[in-house]
Amino acid sequence: MISGDSIVALSSGRLPAGVAVLRISGPKTRFVVETIAGGMVKARSAVLRRFRAPDGTVLDNGLVLFFPGPASFTGEDVAEFHVHGGRAVVAKMLETIAGFDGVRHAEPGEFTRRAFFNGKVDLVETEALADLVNAETEAQRRFAIHNAGGAQSALYLGWRRRLIHARAMIEAEIDFADEDDVPGSVSDTVWSDVRSMISEIDRHIAGFHAAEIIRDGFEVVILGAPNAGKSSLFNALARRDAAIVTDEPGTTRDLLEVVLDLRGLRVRLTDTAGLREAPGKIETIGIEKARAKANRADLLLLLEDAANPKDTGPLSMSAPALRVGTKLDLLDKRAPHDLARRYEFGISVVDGTGVERLLLEIGRRAAEATGDSGDILPSRLRHVELLDAANRHLHRAADERMAQELRAEELRLAAERLGRIMGAVDVEDLLDVIFSQFCIGK
């Protein structure tokens, strides 16, 4: 699909900057380059030129690159103008380029949309590009690069090809059972492979939580009685005064959250209201929020004042928990082995005792939860939903009580669900949502 119009946008970062990159794609690209750069340039070579408007006005000096289609990112003719990154320079360049007939400003994600329609990327790779643009941690970057390189697409495409082959063999056996060139019963081999595929897809779906942790963060929730040192630890881990710390019980009434980068992983740390019996009305709301947040956590830090332990009431949390004794600086001469029996970690935010060791353990737990960095994981909820749907069809196809024709139809439906993940079948309803995640110049 080659579009009738051309699009232009700023494709680099926030202005002002040292250099700004303006990208144009479409059938007018060559004419725009010839006009503004004073002639055509060699493909895929950066050439220094003086840029002029059609009336001869000098716009800037900079580099121009031309990428002829279809061997370009969008599959169309593409060019980049590398100009000085001042706001006035960029505004004038964009105004000039968009002033050509058949050239307009790009919409969010429109360059990548054209790449998709021209077969340069599939939907999974498109989503990975969005993840790469938005990556904030090293783990997110590695995850996005892995998927943008086609690893996830190759897995889904391999399953789809196996299903198409299985369906072809079953239908051939149905229609041409008496022909010499059709193998003798292929059913056993086909259905054995289908059952293997069910297990493979189940294992893949199980990795979605690890992908969620990479993308959204490892959820750590701090719980404990009032004045157990929750907000003090929260501030110490955040390395700033994010929470108010006083001696008055019930100071923290709502959830407070900071995002940490531990060993290249995104960790979301939440401070909560103190847990206690018979709190006030407003404090009760905070405690209810704390318990709800804890039920969704990946790790709980259960804090207790080691010098003055207080009951928090019953706790029924399913997430793994670390028992942490706080305020070690206030202890007199309590034997270390007494603390070791009661707590897994002992800390003091006053002198820093144990805080770094606790932080390392949180990072270790987060890394463990994400699994092997080389694993191929489903990166979107829509992938999981379509994989679930495919597996339901495969389970029905594996039912030996069904007629072969019906089982073959279930294989077709399963392959169709896998195709929707990559955009190999009609997914028009998804496109606006997916491409809206991109910035204008992508």
Side-chain angles (χ1 to χ4, degrees), residues 23 25 44 67-76 78 80 109-116 118-121 126 129 438 441-442:
R23 176 185 286 175
S25 177
R44 294 178 181 80
F67 306 91
S72 70
F73 172 67
T74 63
E76 305 171 330
V78 173
E80 291 180 356
E110 192 167 4
F111 287 93
T112 308
R113 182 190 284 263
R114 291 186 178 205
F116 168 73
N118 290 327
K120 309 300 289 186
V121 292
T126 296
L129 287 174
F438 287 87
K442 190 68 177 172

Side-chain angles (χ1 to χ4, degrees), residues 97-110:
I97 296 172
F100 285 83
D101 287 340
V103 182
R104 60 175 174 79
H105 292 286
E107 298 175 359
E110 192 167 4

Side-chain angles (χ1 to χ4, degrees), residues 172-195:
E173 187 177 69
I174 293 170
D175 295 336
F176 306 105
D178 297 332
E179 299 292 332
D180 293 337
D181 58 347
V182 175
S185 176
V186 297
S187 294
D188 290 344
T189 301
V190 167
W191 300 123
S192 175
D193 188 48
V194 167
R195 285 188 290 271

Side-chain angles (χ1 to χ4, degrees), residues 12-158:
S12 53
R14 183 179 301 173
L15 302 176
V19 175
V21 178
L22 280 64
R23 176 185 286 175
I24 178 173
S25 177
K28 289 286 186 178
T29 299
R30 185 182 293 270
F31 177 71
V32 170
V33 170
E34 290 174 343
T35 303
I36 291 182
M40 201 52 210
V41 297
K42 183 180 179 181
R44 294 178 181 80
S45 296
V47 180
L48 179 63
R49 290 288 175 89
R50 175 165 290 183
F51 303 141
R52 298 179 182 271
D55 64 2
T57 303
V58 175
L59 302 172
D60 195 15
N61 297 317
L63 298 176
V64 59
L65 295 94
F66 177 69
F67 306 91
S72 70
F73 172 67
T74 63
E76 305 171 330
D77 285 349
V78 173
E80 291 180 356
F81 294 96
H82 295 213
V83 300
H84 293 93
R87 291 188 176 91
V89 174
V90 171
K92 190 61 179 177
M93 285 288 295
L94 287 174
E95 177 189 333
T96 301
I97 296 172
F100 285 83
D101 287 340
V103 182
R104 60 175 174 79
H105 292 286
E107 298 175 359
E110 192 167 4
F111 287 93
T112 308
R113 182 190 284 263
R114 291 186 178 205
F116 168 73
F117 279 121
N118 290 327
K120 309 300 289 186
V121 292
D122 62 31
L123 278 188
V124 174
E125 292 166 334
T126 296
E127 290 165 328
L129 287 174
D131 288 343
L132 189 59
V133 170
N134 295 318
E136 296 178 342
T137 67
E138 176 61 14
Q140 290 172 339
R141 184 196 66 81
R142 289 197 306 266
F143 184 54
I145 283 287
H146 196 47
N147 289 335
Q152 198 176 352
S153 295
L155 178 66
Y156 300 154
L157 182 61

Side-chain angles (χ1 to χ4, degrees), residues 125-385:
E125 292 166 334
T126 296
E127 290 165 328
L129 287 174
D131 288 343
L132 189 59
V133 170
N134 295 318
E136 296 178 342
T137 67
E138 176 61 14
Q140 290 172 339
R141 184 196 66 81
R142 289 197 306 266
F143 184 54
I145 283 287
H146 196 47
N147 289 335
Q152 198 176 352
S153 295
L155 178 66
Y156 300 154
L157 182 61
W159 284 334
R160 187 165 182 257
R161 284 173 174 164
R162 285 162 65 183
L163 288 178
I164 292 172
H165 174 75
R167 180 185 168 208
M169 290 296 98
I170 293 300
E171 291 184 347
E173 187 177 69
I174 293 170
D175 295 336
F176 306 105
D178 297 332
E179 299 292 332
D180 293 337
D181 58 347
V182 175
S185 176
V186 297
S187 294
D188 290 344
T189 301
V190 167
W191 300 123
S192 175
D193 188 48
V194 167
R195 285 188 290 271
S196 295
M197 207 177 312
I198 291 172
S199 298
E200 293 170 23
I201 293 175
D202 279 337
R203 287 194 298 272
H204 181 65
I205 291 173
F208 181 57
H209 183 58
E212 285 184 305
I213 290 174
I214 293 172
R215 285 169 49 86
D216 302 326
F218 184 74
E219 294 278 357
V220 180
V221 177
I222 304 174
L223 295 176
N227 282 350
K230 299 185 301 300
S231 295
S232 295
L233 175 61
F234 181 75
N235 288 341
L237 296 180
R239 292 185 170 86
R240 61 185 175 89
D241 291 337
I244 298 173
V245 179
T246 73
D247 292 332
E248 180 182 343
T251 301
T252 302
R253 302 293 182 87
D254 208 345
L255 303 179
L256 300 176
E257 183 178 284
V258 295
V259 176
L260 310 178
D261 186 337
L262 299 183
R263 298 169 61 176
L265 290 167
R266 181 182 175 91
V267 174
R268 300 166 68 93
L269 182 68
T270 303
D271 186 20
T272 63
L275 305 178
R276 63 172 172 171
E277 299 290 349
K281 183 176 180 180
I282 296 178
E283 202 175 341
T284 298
I285 297 174
I287 291 174
E288 289 174 353
K289 287 185 176 181
R291 293 184 183 277
K293 184 71 173 178
N295 284 326
R296 302 191 300 271
D298 297 304
L299 178 66
L300 302 177
L301 302 183
L302 303 181
L303 269 59
E304 185 175 79
D305 183 345
N308 184 24
K310 293 180 181 177
D311 185 25
T312 59
L315 289 174
S316 56
M317 308 300 177
S318 58
L322 295 175
R323 295 169 299 146
V324 181
T326 64
K327 306 183 183 181
L328 296 192
D329 54 290
L330 299 182
L331 294 178
D332 295 328
K333 296 181 179 178
R334 183 169 300 185
H337 64 271
D338 291 337
L339 291 174
R341 282 201 303 266
R342 188 173 181 86
Y343 309 114
E344 292 165 276
F345 287 86
I347 66 168
S348 168
V349 297
V350 174
D351 59 20
T353 300
V355 174
E356 191 63 30
R357 193 168 74 90
L358 177 59
L359 198 60
L360 289 172
E361 177 62 14
I362 294 171
R364 188 192 70 78
R365 297 268 185 138
E368 188 178 74
T370 60
D372 190 327
S373 60
D375 291 343
I376 301 174
L377 307 173
S379 56
R380 290 289 194 284
L381 180 59
R382 79 171 189 91
H383 301 171
V384 173
E385 291 171 343

